[in-house]
């Protein structure tokens, strides 16, 4: 969330002024963030020291580690060895290129400069698009808190655009459907609207360039441009093509939509908070009022809204409030923060609609969403239905480091009415809701104890049950019923109605739950009353040995050793492996002395490497305390990684600029592949245009070959004797198998392309904290350039290849629990081969704690959708 500079603040003199694009009062417009020397690192560290909300947490060694690890991810040949408070940086030959330490924050800028100089001057290649200083600084601040980051390049442009709520273009959203670019939304009153573009149009060409192979981002970048310039679009509508010429201008991005619900109430969905939100909201309210819809009540849908402008959120709340403090901001030690709005109070404009309000939230509703929802609740104007919100109660400001780089830094927290903070805890709904999903895999429980759980039935659960319509939104239906029953506009009126309606719906959904379980012969009758902890023995076993790519049926058997029947029994798995963690296997009623069984079908990813995981078994029964059975382990057998080779030859078709590229796809792996789709990515060279979208091969056995052809148009401007193409091959089960540069010569010669084949061996179990050997090998048809080894996402070794076959043994130190070892080898052309394995670190806390599923994440920033 970005803050504001109030107009009454007087600014002192600055040594250098950098002016941002006009973002109204939302962002800081001018800040003295750059020193006279223009030192990016010194400027950033000084700002962090002076302005970061929690200075006591600043730690120079941790920030240095973040910088080093970030750069390790970006530079293959760089390896960092920890040494006390610093690191030894090594190049691809294992030579030390720098030693860096930073025990104190004043030491950090020089340490970061040392890293940059050492990497830039090393005799090893770097990606020409890599901004070393930006990535180093981004890594240094990455550990402060989640919203703090460095903005540069496209990310900065998207941030500015979403905050402003405007863009320079034509005013339409573009999407990709089945490999074809489609106009998904035309903004009302935009150049696209006025020029005749319509939702559903297929986008064929942009300024004469074929869109075949373009992504939505590619198309958006081409369509956008300076205000007043023209773009030509060729579109297909119902089989007829037409050319639309549009003049670009500044366009307002819609961030809310209104509709009328079946019960007669109004609903406004706000996707994010930009500078335009209040203006859009006023127009929507006026429209609904003129149609006599608003008087029935209003639903504000903030689900999925991760935030945006603090000021716009508070002003949005003020549209419904006549008095009360909306928020105040506090910085270090509770002090006010300079150049930041300190307090916002609701004002009576006489236009506040006196109607019942319901706010819908989920776990992704964050930041500015929580300001709007929290203000309406705390000042007695609304109730919340849905999920607990994210809990982001901080404010960020934007500091200019140089014209193309900004630091977004947490400088304050905000407090709502009654000095309420939403940090960490979020907002608890008046009616918390969840869902229980039934499908062909079993039952997925996304509801906590006490939630109003909506039952959703999908295909595959049983032949007798009809699937829930995909567009059915039970939470909106609930809100509609609440507003229909509300006796007045005040919070107490709406809350009373919400309680009555929720209780009725709870009874309805519970009855539906019982009926749906009964379709599979499961007795889901409730317990007659509370009882002691269950006395049970639990066994977890799959029907077949788990293997990557398989559809696995997990079965759990539970013996009831207690004197009374258990009701609504379910077993929950907890594991470090997300494949198992949170799986719920419902059993139902189990009589005393009897055994019950639950099952769940799991699709194991085909690319999952061999691994063994500890699994805890949690037993829940209606009216009984939660208990934990003895933990067990689940092991997955890996499937051989697909390996392909590609032979390519181009043939010019007589009398045209079209070349037919013949491709032979060779399956070098041990598994049969199905649904192989081959295509070229959108060419970067303007002289190359795709003619064919993709080629499909139904099956490809081990050692087999498949021949396909894709046509491309090549202009005389293409130089170098080769067509610069990028090939992508996907297969059913595996997804993307390869994406390589594929230069195809124009002289008709066949070229052969193959990535290294990588193998890695490591024990499935090893003592945690003790070095264990990793054996890796890579082979290539030409030459393996190098291999990188990663342990739990952290690079631990770089091995130079420069031969067709390479082998190495390195040591890693596993941590307690599951450890991922990944080896990535590249040939001279940059084609990668990857292999991975898992080792279970024994000892310490190797077994997973009994805990809930991972919490949802949100960063409180506006979302990053773009539109031309």
């Amino acid at each position: 969330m970005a803050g504001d500079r109030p107009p009454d603040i007087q600014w002192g003199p600055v040594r250098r002024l950098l002016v941002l694009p006009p973002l109204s009062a939302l962002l800081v417009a001018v800040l003295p963030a750059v020193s006279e020397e223009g030192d990016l690192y010194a400027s950033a560290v000084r700002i962090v020291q002076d302005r970061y909300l929690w200075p006591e947490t600043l730690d120079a060694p941790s920030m240095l580690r973040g910088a080093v690890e970030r750069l390790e991810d970006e530079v293959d040949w760089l390896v960092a060895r920890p040494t006390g408070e610093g690191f030894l940086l090594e190049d691809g030959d294992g030579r030390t290129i720098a030693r860096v330490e930073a025990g104190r924050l004043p030491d950090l800028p020089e340490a970061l400069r040392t890293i940059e100089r050492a990497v830039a001057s090393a005799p090893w290649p770097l990606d020409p698009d890599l901004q070393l200083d930006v990535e180093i600084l981004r890594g240094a601040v990455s550990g402060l808190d989640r919203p703090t980051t460095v903005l540069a390049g496209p990310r900065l442009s998207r941030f500015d655009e979403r905050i402003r709520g405007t863009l320079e273009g034509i005013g339409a959203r573009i999407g990709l459907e089945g490999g074809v670019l489609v106009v998904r939304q035309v903004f009302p009153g935009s150049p696209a609207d006025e020029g005749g573009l319509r939702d559903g149009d297929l986008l064929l060409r942009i300024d004469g360039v074929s869109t075949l192979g373009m992504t939505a981002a590619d198309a958006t970048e081409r369509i956008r441009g300076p205000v007043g310039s023209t773009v030509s679009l060729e579109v297909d509508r119902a089989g007829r093509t037409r050319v639309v010429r549009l003049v670009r201008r500044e366009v307002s991005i819609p961030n809310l939509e209104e509709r009328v619900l079946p019960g007669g109430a109004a609903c406004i969905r706000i996707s994010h908070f930009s500078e335009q939100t209040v203006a859009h909201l006023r127009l929507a309210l006026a429209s609904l009022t003129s149609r006599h819809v608003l008087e029935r009540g209003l639903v504000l849908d903030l689900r999925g809204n991760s935030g945006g402008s603090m000021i716009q959120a508070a002003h949005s709340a003020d549209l419904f409030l006549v008095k009360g403090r909306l928020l105040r901001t506090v910085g270090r030690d509770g002090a006010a923060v300079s150049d930041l709005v300190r307090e916002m109070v609701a004002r009576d404009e006489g236009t506040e609609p006196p109607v019942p309000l319901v706010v819908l939230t989920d776990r992704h509703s964050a930041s500015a969403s929580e300001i709007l929802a929290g203000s309406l609740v705390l000042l007695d104007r609304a109730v919340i239905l849905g999920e607990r919100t994210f809990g982001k109660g901080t404010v960020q400001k934007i500091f200019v480091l140089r014209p193309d780089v900004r630091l977004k830094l947490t400088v304050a927290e905000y407090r709502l009415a009654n000095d309420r903070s939403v940090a960490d805890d979020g907002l608890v709904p008046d009616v918390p809701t969840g869902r229980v999903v039934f499908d062909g895999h079993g039952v997925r429980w996304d509801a906590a104890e006490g939630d109003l759980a909506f039952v959703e039935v999908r295909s595959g659960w049983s032949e007798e049950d009809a699937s829930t319509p995909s567009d059915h939104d039970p939470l909106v239906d609930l809100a509609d019923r609440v507003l229909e029953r509300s006796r007045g506009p005040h919070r107490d009126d709406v809350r009373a109605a919400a309680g009555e309606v929720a209780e009725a719906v709870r009874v309805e959904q519970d009855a539906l739950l019982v009926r749906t379980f009964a379709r599979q012969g499961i007795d889901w009758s409730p317990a007659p009353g509370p009882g002691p902890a269950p006395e049970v023995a639990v066994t977890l076993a799959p029907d077949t040995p788990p293997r990557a790519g398989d559809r696995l049926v997990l079965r759990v058997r539970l013996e009831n050793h207690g004197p009374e029947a258990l009701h609504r029994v379910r077993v929950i798995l907890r594991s470090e492996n997300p494949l198992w963690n949170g799986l719920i296997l419902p059993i139902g009623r189990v009589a005393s002395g009897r055994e019950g069984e639950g099952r769940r079908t799991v699709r194991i990813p085909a690319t999952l490497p061999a691994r063994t995981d500890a699994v805890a078994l949690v037993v829940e029964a209606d009216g009984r305390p939660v208990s934990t059975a003895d933990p067990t382990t689940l092991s997955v057998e890996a499937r051989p990684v697909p390996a392909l080779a590609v032979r390519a030859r181009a043939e010019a078709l007589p009398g045209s600029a079209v070349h037919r590229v013949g491709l032979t796809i060779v399956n070098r792996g041990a598994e049969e592949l199905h649904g192989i789709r081959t295509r070229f990515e959108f060419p970067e060279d303007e002289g190359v245009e795709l003619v064919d979208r993709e080629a499909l091969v139904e099956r490809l056995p081990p050692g087999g070959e498949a021949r396909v052809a894709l046509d491309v148009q090549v202009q005389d401007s293409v130089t170098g004797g080769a067509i610069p193409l990028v090939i992508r091959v996907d297969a059913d089960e595996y997804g993307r198998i390869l994406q390589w540069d594929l230069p195809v010569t124009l002289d008709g010669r066949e070229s052969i392309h193959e990535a290294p084949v990588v193998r890695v061996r490591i024990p499935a179990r090893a003592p945690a904290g003790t070095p264990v050997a990793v054996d890796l090998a890579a082979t290539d048809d030409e030459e393996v350039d190098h291999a990188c080894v990663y342990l739990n996402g952290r690079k631990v070794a770089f091995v130079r290849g420069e031969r067709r076959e390479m082998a190495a043994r390195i040591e890693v130190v596993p941590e307690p629990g599951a450890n991922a070892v990944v080896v990535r080898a590249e040939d001279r052309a940059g084609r990668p081969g990857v292999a991975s394995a898992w080792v279970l670190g024994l000892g310490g806390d190797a077994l997973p704690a009994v805990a809930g599923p991972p919490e949802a994440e949100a960063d409180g920033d506006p979302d990053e959708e773009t539109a031309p």
Side-chain angles (χ1 to χ4, degrees):
M1 181 192 312
D4 295 61
R5 180 171 71 94
D8 57 340
I9 296 292
Q10 298 297 314
W11 284 40
V14 298
R15 288 175 290 181
R16 183 175 177 184
L17 279 131
L18 290 178
V19 182
L20 290 172
L23 303 184
S24 87
L26 172 67
L27 300 180
V28 175
V30 183
L31 277 179
V34 179
S35 69
E36 291 176 341
E37 296 79 17
D39 189 319
L40 191 74
Y41 305 125
S43 299
V45 171
R46 174 171 54 79
I47 294 168
V48 169
Q49 281 185 292
D50 293 345
R51 305 296 298 270
Y52 187 56
L53 178 59
W54 301 288
E56 68 279 3
T57 66
L58 296 176
D59 179 69
S62 295
M63 294 179 72
L64 179 63
R65 181 174 63 251
V68 167
E69 291 181 353
R70 178 83 182 194
L71 206 55
E72 272 190 308
D73 290 340
E74 299 294 332
V75 180
D76 277 348
W77 52 262
L78 180 65
V79 177
R81 309 287 183 193
T83 60
E85 291 186 332
F87 293 88
L88 287 178
L89 304 184
E90 296 179 354
D91 68 7
D93 287 325
R95 294 182 300 241
T96 298
I97 59 174
R99 179 190 296 270
V100 290
E101 290 187 353
R104 303 175 307 118
L105 283 177
D107 303 329
L108 187 59
E110 180 56 32
L112 300 182
R113 284 191 289 268
T114 299
I115 295 171
E116 181 181 352
R117 287 193 297 263
V119 172
S121 60
W124 286 79
L126 291 173
D127 184 336
D129 295 327
L130 177 66
Q131 288 183 278
L132 274 177
D133 52 0
V134 170
E135 295 303 329
I136 290 170
L137 186 56
R138 189 170 281 158
V141 303
S142 62
L144 298 186
D145 66 310
R146 182 175 172 81
T148 291
T149 189
V150 174
L151 300 172
R155 188 174 180 183
L156 175 57
S157 300
R158 290 193 298 269
F159 179 85
D160 283 349
E161 172 191 292
R162 300 303 284 176
I163 287 294
R164 284 196 308 266
T166 61
L167 57 84
E168 293 182 357
I170 65 169
R173 295 191 194 279
I174 305 296
L176 196 63
E177 299 177 8
V180 180
L181 287 169
V182 179
V183 178
R184 286 183 173 164
Q185 181 187 8
V186 176
F187 302 165
S190 66
D193 183 26
E194 295 168 358
L197 208 62
R198 295 292 177 261
D199 294 357
D201 284 350
L202 307 182
L203 189 56
L204 305 180
R205 291 182 178 272
I206 303 171
D207 285 334
V209 176
S210 170
T211 62
L212 200 60
M214 277 190 195
T215 64
D218 291 332
T220 296
E221 186 176 352
R222 286 177 173 271
I223 293 174
R224 290 196 184 171
V227 169
S229 60
T230 301
V231 61
S232 174
L233 306 178
E234 182 179 331
V235 300
D236 179 306
R237 184 181 304 163
R240 299 183 63 182
T241 61
R242 59 178 301 195
V243 175
V244 179
R245 291 180 176 83
L246 306 173
V247 179
R248 301 176 176 103
R249 67 169 184 254
E250 186 171 74
V251 178
S252 178
I253 305 172
N255 66 340
L256 59 80
E257 57 185 41
E258 62 184 79
R259 60 185 171 121
V260 181
L261 302 179
C267 180
I268 297 177
R269 181 178 181 87
I270 305 176
S271 62
H272 68 281
F273 290 89
S274 73
E275 290 183 1
Q276 312 298 319
T277 299
V278 172
H280 291 321
L281 186 53
R282 285 185 186 276
L283 290 173
L285 292 174
S287 171
L288 294 167
T289 300
S290 67
R291 289 181 283 157
H292 304 288
V293 174
L294 198 59
E295 59 197 38
R296 300 292 302 274
L298 174 64
V299 178
L300 288 173
D301 191 348
L302 303 180
R303 290 174 296 176
N305 185 326
S306 62
S309 165
M310 175 181 77
I311 300 304
Q312 290 282 307
H315 283 319
S316 296
D318 194 13
L319 295 180
F320 304 96
L321 297 165
V322 297
K323 64 179 181 178
R325 189 173 70 193
L326 300 170
L327 61 81
R328 73 183 183 98
T329 60
V330 293
R332 294 182 177 184
D333 302 319
V337 179
S338 63
D339 53 77
L340 186 68
V341 119
R342 298 179 185 179
E343 185 177 71
M344 296 189 68
V345 178
R347 292 176 172 82
D348 186 355
E349 296 182 358
T351 58
E352 294 81 5
V355 300
L357 294 176
V358 171
V359 181
L360 308 184
T361 63
D362 63 13
R363 68 195 69 179
H364 303 293
S365 303
S367 189
S369 295
E370 293 169 299
I371 290 175
L372 174 55
S375 295
L376 295 177
V377 167
L378 295 170
L379 295 175
D380 296 324
R381 273 301 279 119
V383 299
I384 298 178
L385 311 181
E387 298 175 342
R388 181 193 293 262
T389 62
F390 179 74
K392 179 181 178 288
T394 57
V395 184
Q396 288 70 47
K397 290 202 71 67
I398 305 297
F399 298 88
V400 180
L401 301 179
R402 66 182 187 220
D404 62 332
V405 182
R406 300 180 209 163
L407 172 65
K408 181 162 74 77
L409 182 70
T410 298
V411 299
E413 62 175 329
Y414 64 83
R415 305 281 179 82
L416 301 177
N418 306 323
D419 227 31
R420 169 77 154 85
S421 171
V422 301
D424 301 324
D425 294 333
L427 297 169
V428 179
D430 294 277
V431 180
T433 64
R435 61 179 185 162
V436 182
V437 181
F438 295 82
D439 60 18
H441 297 285
V443 184
R444 187 170 75 253
W445 231 285
D446 190 12
E449 185 69 27
D451 283 358
L452 169 55
F454 296 110
V455 176
E456 182 178 330
V457 183
R458 299 180 181 175
S459 61
W461 173 252
S462 87
E463 295 181 358
E464 300 176 62
D465 269 323
S467 296
T468 304
S470 59
D471 59 349
H472 178 63
D473 193 333
L475 191 57
V476 171
D477 291 346
L478 176 66
D480 199 11
R481 291 174 63 175
V482 168
L483 291 174
E484 200 171 16
R485 194 177 185 87
S486 180
R487 298 174 181 87
H490 302 294
R491 172 171 160 77
D492 287 344
D493 299 322
V494 185
R495 185 164 54 177
E500 295 170 5
V501 173
E503 188 56 38
V505 173
R506 191 184 303 275
V507 173
E508 295 168 4
Q509 293 298 311
D510 193 69
L512 178 57
L513 192 69
V514 172
R515 292 197 304 271
T516 305
F517 270 120
R519 302 296 189 195
Q520 291 283 5
I522 298 174
D523 180 353
W524 203 252
S525 57
E535 300 174 34
V536 297
V538 183
T539 304
L540 177 69
D543 274 10
T544 56
R547 182 172 182 265
D550 287 353
R551 183 182 172 95
L552 175 72
V553 178
L554 277 177
R555 295 183 185 272
V556 63
R557 293 181 176 85
L558 181 143
E559 299 174 19
N560 181 5
H561 296 164
E564 298 178 344
L566 298 174
H567 294 257
R568 296 192 171 183
V569 178
R570 59 183 191 171
V571 176
I572 306 172
L573 309 189
R574 298 296 182 210
S575 172
E576 289 184 339
N577 187 344
L579 180 65
W580 314 124
N581 187 45
L583 291 182
I584 297 177
L585 289 77
I587 298 174
R589 184 181 185 277
V590 183
S592 174
R594 303 298 294 271
E595 179 183 275
E597 181 181 275
R599 66 182 184 276
R600 175 71 186 263
T601 302
V602 181
R603 172 73 71 180
I604 304 178
T607 54
L608 189 71
R611 63 179 291 177
T612 298
D613 293 283
V615 179
L617 307 175
V618 181
V619 179
E620 293 186 356
D622 193 26
R624 304 297 183 100
V626 175
S627 63
T628 306
D630 292 337
T632 185
T633 59
L634 283 173
S635 299
V636 176
E637 177 188 347
R639 175 177 287 195
V641 177
L644 298 180
V646 178
R647 299 199 300 269
R649 185 197 309 271
E651 175 189 3
L653 299 186
S656 74
V658 173
H659 284 64
R660 178 153 296 159
V661 181
L663 301 168
T664 302
I665 312 298
V666 184
N667 185 358
R668 301 277 198 215
E671 294 280 322
E672 181 168 276
L673 302 176
H674 298 87
I676 304 98
R677 297 173 301 283
T678 302
R679 65 183 176 92
F680 294 133
E681 297 286 87
F682 181 74
E684 292 187 8
D685 193 313
E686 295 283 354
V688 180
E689 184 176 295
L690 304 184
V691 176
D692 293 324
R693 179 169 293 110
E694 68 177 18
L696 176 66
V697 176
E698 294 294 341
R699 58 182 292 272
L700 188 59
E705 297 184 357
R707 292 176 176 82
V708 298
L710 294 171
D711 289 352
V712 297
Q713 187 163 289
V714 183
Q715 305 300 329
D716 293 338
S717 58
V718 174
T719 59
I723 310 171
L725 296 169
V726 176
I727 187 174
R728 172 173 166 174
V729 179
D730 298 77
D732 288 351
E733 292 190 333
Y734 290 98
R736 185 181 309 180
I737 296 179
L738 64 83
Q739 184 170 334
W740 299 337
D741 288 338
L742 191 84
V744 182
T745 60
L746 290 167
D747 59 9
R749 288 181 300 156
E750 184 176 65
S751 56
I752 302 174
H753 309 265
E754 187 171 356
V757 177
V758 186
R759 297 175 298 279
V760 57
R761 293 178 57 191
I762 188 171
R765 298 174 173 84
T770 302
V772 60
V774 177
D775 290 309
L776 65 96
T779 59
D780 190 66
D781 58 323
E782 295 177 351
E783 184 178 281
V784 179
D785 184 75
H786 67 271
C788 293
V789 184
Y790 302 84
L791 175 67
N792 297 327
R794 172 76 198 281
K795 189 192 304 178
V796 293
F798 175 92
V799 183
R800 178 180 272 199
E802 298 184 344
R803 51 191 182 275
R804 293 188 62 177
E805 298 183 6
M806 64 170 290
R809 167 172 286 190
I810 68 164
E811 289 187 339
V812 299
V813 181
E815 301 171 359
N819 294 262
V821 177
V822 178
V823 178
R824 176 187 172 94
E826 291 188 6
D827 61 13
R828 283 291 188 184
R831 293 182 286 257
V834 179
S836 53
W838 288 79
V839 54
L840 182 63
L842 304 175
D845 188 20
L847 294 180
V850 178
E855 294 185 6
E857 293 187 350
D859 62 9
D861 286 339
D863 58 46
E864 295 190 345
E865 292 182 6
T866 58

